Amino acid sequence: MSVKIIPDRCRGCGRCLTVCPGDLIALDSSLAAIKEPELCWGCAACLKTCPYEAIALYLSPAQGGRGLKLTIKKDGTTLFWKATAPDYQTVIVTDSAKAKDY
Amino acid sequence: MTLDSKAPKDVNDAKPVCPAPFSLTTVTHRAAVVVVGGGVAGSRAAILLAESGLNVILLEKAFIERSGCLAPGVNALNAYIGYGKTPIDYVDYATNDAHSIARKDLLLSMSKLLNEEALWLESIGLAIHKDSKGRYLERSWRNIQVNGGDLKPLIAKATRAQEKILVLEQILATHILTSDNKALGVMGLNLKTGKIVEALAPAVIIATGGAAGLYRPANPPESQNRIWYSPFNVGSGLAMGLRAGAEMTTLEMRFVALRVADTLAPTGTLALGVGASQLNAKNQAYEAEFGHTTSQRVLAFRRQIQRGLGPCSLTAACDPESRARIYRAYLNMCPSQTLQFLESERALKGQIPDRLTTEIAASEPLVQGGHTAGGYWVERDRRTTIEGLWAIGDVAGGCPQKYVTGSLAEANIAATAIAELFKTGSLKSLSHPEDQPLNQELDPELNQPLTQALAKAHQEITRFSQNEPSLFTAKEITQAARKVLDIYAGGIAAGYAYSFASLTAAESRLTALMELTEGLKADSPQTFAAIWEVKDRLLVSLALVAHLKARKETRWPGFGEYLDYPVLDDSLGFVNSRLTPKGIEIIHRPIYPNGLKSEKSL
């Protein structure tokens, strides 16, 4: 209960398979699939690696989750973190090369 | 001892046949140094050794871009000597925080290198916040802000740039190969190919991190790994060391983390970032009721709950700019926390309050030497009690409060010591397997013991494939073990308290579970990994229980309360342990004046 693959965005490139610290992602019918969702740590390594915004982080009900999903659009060292729900949308920008943007 | 003429010329010829699911082939690598664990400590050690001209094999269970407890990133370096302070100040702070159970010699050697390692991180591309004079921006005298969401990929890039480092990924290390208390290398299993991997070298560094997932976690089964520490660090390094006969220290100093409720996100970002303070349900501040150490602050929180004054929160006045800064800071370390804040905002439909508040909770206990002091008993150069074996980072004991820079400092200390041993000829590098048969370059006396150690390790790995299909799974035994520790060894369910009788019950139940693991069947590298990891967890759990039993006092009441022994007993010293054929043997080591290992060691 942590990350979900968005099937119509996933292109099966397999990049996420090579960053998951728990080896929890596999290719299933040439798309990424989370093998054991309950073992996900929520580190977001896969979100940061996916070039297609095809992986969403969310909170389980036990963590106060109410359906908001977080995806990342990447542009070099800049990350656009998009939190979306049918009634809500916001974007937060971080840049790992810029120290002053804490 | 000389080689029998009929003995195989190379250890590669001596392989027992490995039945399915393991591959029939074994891959052997040789080098000067084998490093187990590609987190920050292991990677840094490998880089420094390679820079000194040595060939290094770096074994990693996942991929070094995002492995270890820094996979999500980090937004502060929590071990740093601020302006006007000295390494001695840090030693005093850490010793006091550990309620005196810490090694000042280890702390001092680490503290002297903290700032140097921060500079190294900046040199490989970490963005560190600076003030108008260009100095690192301090969050407190021992803590600086960084933009470290990609810290691990930066270190991985620096690691991969070294030609002398052979990075082997998706390798589950299973054995430290030893003979007569001397390390000869490491064995593991390639989780993708099923091939057994032998990494042979006269020097081995263990940098596998601490042990998470021993206790039943705070979150329910469907999000059981949403814990604070890396759930993929199962204590393998400690288990390998115990099996090899290494001495461990202070495992009983469990770390209970005071964290944001539900997400288990670190609280320092709020406490230091916007000056948030803890309030109970009656809006009373309570943090300093018992004192300022980590354990005392956890105790103050727990007492609020016990007195019916919970839930407790971290609360601060917060303008929109600071709020945005906190959201970004959490994205750099624990993205779930920003998501939790955004969920609250969403529920308020745009009515953003001028206070930032979040509930806090205590985590399940963990065993690690990065915040607390549980791990290998080491000398000042981080060598363990096994010749040729070093331990650094969260798996090394006696030196708490090391965090990122302290782990790097320990890598630096061990790598410097090892490089010196090669330089003086005390250690001799092994060559590439194709260049020379092993028995021609190995000390003749080591040939037969190595062959035996390899055969034994092979057998221990492959035996699980010969079992009949078993009634139980490794997962079920893992959950059972977590329940045992939770209830009988001071987990959340037991209010972090335990007694001699409850620990005895834990021992017998864990022993019974360990026996069950012998019947588990491996039919793929993955099922083998699950079996091996539950065995590792059970062994570390058994050692932990023996340590808890032996520290007959309540030294860190926030982390745990020994109900039979509520008061302090300064005569206990360090509680150390070793695995012997009879089980876990406890050794008490004195704490010399000033927390030294020996009277002259500082």
Side-chain angles (χ1 to χ4, degrees):
Chain A
M1 301 273 291
S2 231
V3 292
K4 264 207 161 48
I5 308 293
I6 304 164
D8 53 358
R9 290 193 198 157
C10 177
R11 301 194 197 173
C13 71
R15 284 181 177 86
C16 52
L17 276 65
T18 66
V19 292
C20 176
D23 190 24
L24 301 177
I25 312 176
L27 286 184
D28 181 15
S29 311
S30 73
L31 292 185
I34 312 296
K35 289 186 283 185
E36 294 176 276
E38 76 277 11
L39 298 187
C40 175
W41 184 25
C43 72
C46 53
L47 273 78
K48 291 176 183 170
T49 300
C50 178
Y52 309 113
E53 299 176 58
I55 308 179
L57 178 77
Y58 63 100
L59 298 179
S60 66
Q63 294 185 293
R66 295 157 52 88
L68 199 56
K69 287 181 191 159
L70 197 60
T71 55
I72 297 176
K73 183 181 154 92
K74 260 175 82 163
D75 181 8
T77 55
T78 310
L79 301 183
F80 298 88
W81 303 73
K82 298 182 189 173
T84 50
D87 62 329
Y88 185 89
Q89 190 166 353
T90 194
V91 180
I92 301 173
V93 185
T94 62
D95 189 333
S96 63
K98 287 184 189 157
K100 67 181 172 57
D101 278 350
Y102 184 60
Chain B
M1 194 186 303
T2 52
L3 267 184
D4 181 338
S5 59
K6 287 178 188 165
K9 286 202 175 116
D10 190 293
V11 287
N12 276 318
D13 301 338
K15 297 298 161 295
V17 174
C18 309
F22 304 107
S23 166
L24 292 172
T25 46
T26 294
V27 185
T28 304
H29 300 276
R30 289 182 235 156
V33 188
V34 179
V35 180
V36 189
V40 293
S43 298
R44 178 65 169 139
I47 289 169
L48 286 163
L49 290 162
E51 282 175 355
S52 70
L54 296 166
N55 285 317
V56 184
I57 299 166
L58 178 60
L59 301 176
E60 163 58 45
K61 190 164 78 175
F63 298 93
I64 62 170
E65 272 68 24
R66 293 283 179 187
S67 65
C69 58
L70 285 189
V74 69
N75 65 27
L77 300 179
N78 292 321
Y80 185 80
I81 312 297
Y83 302 105
K85 296 286 182 177
T86 68
I88 294 286
D89 293 315
Y90 199 86
V91 173
D92 290 342
Y93 151 71
T95 307
N96 180 54
D97 199 78
H99 297 201
S100 301
I101 307 296
R103 286 262 305 278
K104 286 197 175 188
D105 55 339
L106 301 181
L107 283 166
L108 184 61
S109 57
M110 171 190 84
S111 301
K112 285 177 175 172
L113 291 173
L114 293 173
N115 293 16
E116 190 179 305
E117 290 302 326
L119 284 170
W120 177 72
L121 287 174
E122 191 176 25
S123 79
I124 61 163
L126 178 67
I128 304 185
H129 302 242
K130 291 182 179 156
D131 64 16
S132 54
K133 290 175 185 161
R135 303 188 306 191
Y136 290 160
L137 192 63
E138 293 178 15
R139 252 179 15 169
S140 81
W141 72 263
R142 52 176 195 272
N143 183 304
I144 55 174
Q145 293 178 9
V146 302
N147 200 341
D150 285 333
L151 176 63
K152 200 66 216 316
L154 289 173
I155 296 176
K157 194 176 161 201
T159 308
R160 293 200 195 276
Q162 295 287 343
E163 284 180 10
K164 285 188 164 292
I165 301 176
L166 175 65
V167 182
L168 299 176
E169 292 164 307
Q170 297 192 286
I171 308 292
L172 176 76
T174 56
H175 293 81
I176 299 163
L177 302 162
T178 57
S179 167
D180 200 17
N181 203 45
K182 185 185 172 80
L184 307 169
V186 175
M187 186 178 272
L189 186 75
N190 184 316
L191 296 172
K192 283 292 119 127
T193 63
K195 286 181 185 173
I196 288 175
V197 177
E198 300 166 351
L200 308 179
V204 175
I205 299 179
I206 295 289
T208 49
L214 303 179
Y215 282 81
R216 188 152 50 187
N219 278 315
E222 68 273 14
S223 44
Q224 58 182 304
N225 271 3
R226 287 308 201 83
I227 60 177
W228 158 69
Y229 197 62
S230 165
F232 312 113
N233 288 11
V234 306
S236 298
L238 296 170
M240 276 189 280
L242 283 163
R243 282 190 216 104
E247 186 170 331
M248 301 294 166
T249 188
T250 321
L251 302 180
E252 76 284 0
M253 186 181 178
R254 310 172 306 169
F255 183 47
V256 174
L258 202 57
R259 292 294 181 256
V260 178
D262 304 329
T263 60
L264 279 303
T267 52
T269 306
L270 289 169
L272 299 172
V274 284
S277 53
Q278 294 179 34
L279 297 173
N280 66 21
K282 289 190 173 169
N283 276 326
Q284 297 158 329
Y286 59 84
E287 260 171 280
E289 181 177 344
F290 300 103
H292 294 280
T293 70
T294 308
S295 158
Q296 288 162 339
R297 283 184 286 120
V298 175
L299 183 66
F301 162 77
R302 289 186 24 231
R303 288 289 184 261
Q304 302 307 303
I305 308 297
Q306 287 165 344
R307 294 170 190 157
L309 293 169
C312 298
S313 69
L314 251 184
T315 301
C318 195
D319 57 49
E321 196 184 314
S322 303
R323 181 179 283 269
R325 184 164 52 85
I326 292 296
Y327 285 10
R328 289 196 301 270
Y330 273 120
L331 289 174
N332 274 336
M333 181 159 66
C334 181
S336 298
Q337 187 49 43
T338 302
L339 204 45
Q340 193 199 59
F341 282 130
L342 293 175
E343 284 281 24
S344 329
E345 275 194 18
R346 181 184 161 214
L348 292 168
K349 300 193 189 307
Q351 300 292 307
I352 311 300
D354 54 5
R355 287 158 77 79
L356 192 59
T357 186
T358 189
E359 193 188 327
I360 53 173
S363 76
E364 75 282 6
L366 298 141
V367 173
Q368 51 107 287
H371 286 61
T372 46
Y376 281 81
W377 182 245
V378 292
E379 298 291 321
R380 202 193 314 177
D381 70 357
R382 273 56 179 180
R383 74 176 66 192
T384 68
T385 55
I386 293 177
E387 193 187 336
L389 183 71
W390 282 257
I392 56 173
D394 283 357
V395 81
C399 186
Q401 310 290 338
K402 58 182 86 144
Y403 306 102
V404 180
T405 37
S407 297
L408 295 169
E410 290 199 323
N412 194 328
I413 293 164
T416 305
I418 292 168
E420 186 62 23
L421 290 173
F422 279 99
K423 212 167 130 191
T424 59
S426 304
L427 290 177
K428 281 174 82 177
S429 181
L430 296 180
S431 57
H432 198 267
E434 275 98 64
D435 294 345
Q436 196 176 186
L438 184 67
N439 60 356
Q440 283 178 22
E441 66 171 5
L442 206 62
D443 181 344
E445 295 205 354
L446 290 177
N447 268 304
Q448 199 179 338
L450 177 61
T451 307
Q452 284 168 355
L454 287 168
K456 185 167 173 274
H458 268 268
Q459 198 272 332
E460 285 183 6
I461 292 176
T462 55
R463 67 188 150 138
F464 294 101
S465 59
Q466 292 149 11
N467 284 341
E468 296 297 315
S470 55
L471 187 56
F472 306 115
T473 63
K475 195 186 246 179
E476 285 174 295
I477 296 175
T478 305
Q479 305 292 5
R482 287 176 178 174
K483 178 182 165 183
V484 169
L485 286 193
D486 193 28
I487 295 173
Y488 302 106
I492 295 172
Y496 304 94
Y498 48 86
S499 66
F500 189 84
S502 75
L503 294 172
T504 305
E507 260 169 0
S508 80
R509 285 175 183 249
L510 292 170
T511 305
L513 291 172
M514 186 67 106
E515 283 166 16
L516 278 187
T517 63
E518 287 303 312
L520 292 172
K521 179 165 179 68
D523 53 17
S524 67
Q526 285 69 37
T527 51
F528 169 78
I531 295 169
W532 199 261
E533 290 196 339
V534 71
K535 290 181 79 68
D536 282 352
R537 281 186 162 125
L538 283 166
L539 181 54
V540 176
S541 299
L542 279 163
L544 165 63
V545 170
H547 274 254
L548 288 169
K549 237 180 177 181
R551 183 164 289 289
K552 293 183 174 172
E553 62 171 355
T554 295
R555 170 77 39 174
W556 312 282
F559 300 156
E561 296 174 64
Y562 202 160
L563 300 171
D564 308 309
Y565 302 97
V567 294
L568 290 176
D569 178 356
D570 285 330
S571 72
L572 289 166
F574 290 105
V575 173
N576 287 9
S577 65
R578 244 168 23 105
L579 182 64
T580 71
K582 289 183 193 160
I584 308 283
E585 174 191 273
I586 292 293
I587 308 153
H588 288 276
R589 301 266 182 218
I591 298 178
Y592 288 95
N594 301 323
L596 302 181
K597 181 173 174 262
S598 69
E599 282 172 286
K600 290 179 187 165
S601 61
L602 196 60

